[in-house]
């Protein structure tokens, strides 16, 4: 602003003085408000201490608290799909009788697997690492149970397992229906290298000792 006369200069000085006084009053009011807030906080702290007593900060425990990981949802649809695939993969119409060796004891071995393997399997040279008991199950229950058992055993790197299917004494007509189905299902499983009828102490005609292929995931 350009001042041209003495009167204008006096007016400008008055305006500047009024502005300075306004700013000073504003700063004083802000300082008084801060002081009043601090006093209220101090009074509140004193009142809290009188009510609950003296407080002391706990020492730092030095531990790092890791937040829990969210629980992953169960892939139920994928599990149902896999179960359906396993049920469809094992056919009840597959005829395994022509592939079984029925000498003094029933046995099965893949092409290229010699008789020595079956003999050693029957003698117990491989320790039985897991067992599945199908007693009391219907055919539609036993099929997925057996498929899942063989798949999981192979995934875990197990080599020798036992499958108990029973002798069929409780079936209508004393006919061992499940026994023949188990033979057929095992022949269809690619993880199975061979199986033999169990020794009498291990279940005899009511059980099979199964040799699985080595798992590529196990070194």
């Amino acid at each position: 602003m350009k001042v041209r006369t003495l009167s204008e200069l006096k007016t400008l000085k008055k305006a500047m003085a009024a502005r300075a006084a306004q700013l000073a009053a504003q700063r004083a009011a802000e300082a008084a408000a801060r002081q009043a807030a601090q006093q209220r906080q101090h009074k509140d702290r004193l009142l809290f201490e009188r009510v609950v007593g003296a407080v002391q900060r706990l020492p730092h425990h030095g531990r790092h608290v890791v937040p829990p990981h969210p629980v992953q949802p169960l892939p139920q649809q994928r599990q149902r799909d896999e179960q359906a695939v396993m049920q469809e993969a094992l056919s009840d119409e597959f005829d395994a009788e022509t592939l079984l060796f029925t000498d003094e004891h029933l046995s099965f071995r893949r092409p290229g697997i010699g008789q020595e393997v079956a003999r050693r399997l029957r003698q117990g040279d491989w320790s039985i690492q897991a067992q599945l008991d199908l007693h009391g199950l219907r055919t539609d229950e036993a099929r997925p149970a057996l498929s899942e058992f063989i798949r999981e055993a192979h995934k875990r790197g197990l080599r020798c397992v036992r499958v108990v299917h029973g002798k069929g004494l409780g079936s209508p007509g004393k006919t061992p229906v499940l026994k023949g189905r188990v033979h057929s299902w095992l022949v269809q499983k690619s993880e199975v290298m061979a199986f033999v009828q169990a020794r009498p102490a291990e279940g005899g005609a009511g059980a099979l000792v199964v040799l699985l292929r080595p798992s590529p995931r196990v070194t």
Side-chain angles (χ1 to χ4, degrees):
M1 181 178 181
K2 188 175 181 180
V3 180
R4 297 181 180 179
T5 65
L6 182 59
S7 176
E8 291 179 349
L9 179 59
K10 291 181 179 179
T11 301
L12 179 60
K13 286 183 177 180
K14 289 181 180 179
M16 294 177 63
R19 177 60 179 168
Q22 183 181 2
L23 292 176
Q26 182 178 354
R27 286 194 292 268
E30 292 176 351
R34 287 194 298 270
Q35 184 177 6
Q38 292 174 355
Q39 290 176 350
R40 286 195 299 270
Q41 292 178 356
H42 180 66
K43 291 179 180 179
D44 291 343
R45 185 170 61 253
L46 292 178
L47 177 61
F48 176 79
E49 291 178 355
R50 285 198 298 268
V51 173
V52 302
V55 296
Q56 182 178 2
R57 183 183 296 275
L58 293 175
H60 183 62
H61 51 64
R63 296 192 300 271
H64 176 66
V65 179
V66 180
H69 294 287
V71 179
Q72 297 297 326
L74 293 176
Q76 296 181 353
Q77 184 59 49
R78 188 181 67 185
Q79 292 175 352
R80 288 192 291 267
D81 293 341
E82 291 178 352
Q83 185 176 17
V85 170
M86 288 188 295
Q87 290 180 354
E88 294 172 359
L90 296 182
S91 172
D92 292 340
E93 305 301 324
F94 184 84
D95 184 10
E97 293 298 325
T98 57
L99 302 177
L100 302 178
F101 296 92
T102 54
D103 42 16
E104 70 276 12
H105 298 289
L106 178 142
S107 65
F108 163 80
R109 60 181 185 272
R110 297 282 179 196
I113 304 298
Q115 297 181 6
E116 179 67 13
V117 173
R119 186 186 66 81
R120 293 179 57 193
L121 189 61
R122 186 177 293 114
Q123 289 180 347
D125 289 356
W126 281 280
S127 299
I128 296 175
Q129 299 169 290
Q131 173 176 298
L132 174 66
D133 193 343
L134 300 175
H135 270 116
L137 298 184
R138 301 191 306 269
T139 299
D140 58 344
E141 296 172 332
R143 183 192 303 109
L146 177 64
S147 185
E148 176 72 10
F149 172 72
I150 295 297
R151 185 175 68 88
E152 288 299 320
H154 181 256
K155 182 189 299 186
R156 291 166 52 196
L158 306 185
R159 294 300 313 279
C160 185
V161 298
R162 178 167 53 210
V163 177
V164 180
H165 48 67
K167 299 179 181 180
L169 299 179
S171 303
K174 307 296 183 179
T175 303
V177 177
L178 191 58
K179 178 178 180 179
R181 295 287 173 83
V182 170
H183 294 166
S184 175
W185 295 336
L186 287 176
V187 170
Q188 296 176 66
K189 294 294 292 182
S190 61
E191 300 93 339
V192 175
M193 293 180 60
F195 61 78
V196 299
Q197 180 176 301
R199 293 179 293 182
E202 297 174 346
L208 297 172
V209 180
V210 184
L211 181 66
L212 303 179
R213 295 183 184 278
S215 174
R217 299 185 183 182
V218 179
T219 57

